Amino acid sequence: MADDDSRVSVLWRPADFGGQDAASIRLCVNSHCEERKSGRPDDPFATLSVQLPDDVGASTVPVRLTVTSVKSGDTVVEDSTRARLTEQHPNGTSCPPTVWTATFRAHPDKGLTSPRGLKLQR
């Protein structure tokens, strides 16, 4: 039985941001933020999530992405959007939990985009 949380996630290819922890990825949903380094360039992808309250429901939440160069401190990517949360049933529709999620890709030129078409393997 899977236990899951409501969340907004962003995933990316570390090589897109220079790899070897060259960038810091910061994701904010409402006023809650999470941050991590971009990752090793040979990692196929990396991810970061901001957990949401269990009772968030089918709402729309503000999402902000900031990618900063670790070396210079310059902002490489800055983008924001509103995420419409989608209902998910990790254990099937008749079993708990019900969670609400949204997923984006952090793109080096376009900011927050759809993860569709992102190849998650090398």
Side-chain angles (χ1 to χ4, degrees):
M1 177 178 232
D3 186 22
D4 214 349
D5 295 312
S6 295
R7 69 189 174 285
V8 174
S9 301
V10 64
L11 49 96
W12 64 91
R13 285 188 201 125
D16 286 350
F17 296 103
Q20 207 53 41
D21 295 329
S24 178
I25 313 291
R26 182 176 174 89
L27 180 67
C28 298
V29 181
N30 291 320
S31 60
H32 301 288
C33 299
E34 295 290 335
E35 190 169 347
R36 69 168 281 192
K37 300 286 192 257
S38 54
R40 294 188 338 243
D42 56 338
D43 288 339
F45 75 98
T47 186
L48 178 64
S49 297
V50 174
Q51 191 171 333
L52 301 173
D54 289 334
D55 62 353
V56 69
S59 58
T60 301
V61 294
V63 178
R64 194 171 66 253
L65 170 73
T66 308
V67 181
T68 308
S69 167
V70 171
K71 190 174 184 179
S72 70
D74 293 340
T75 299
V76 179
V77 176
E78 193 167 29
D79 196 12
S80 62
T81 189
R82 297 191 60 78
R84 177 172 290 156
L85 301 176
T86 335
E87 187 174 5
Q88 304 289 321
H89 300 274
N91 297 314
T93 53
S94 60
C95 298
T98 297
V99 297
W100 300 89
T101 65
T103 303
F104 294 93
R105 174 184 179 187
H107 190 280
D109 300 320
K110 301 174 187 172
L112 290 164
T113 64
S114 168
R116 283 192 201 113
L118 178 62
K119 204 172 171 186
L120 298 181
Q121 298 134 0
R122 286 193 257 171

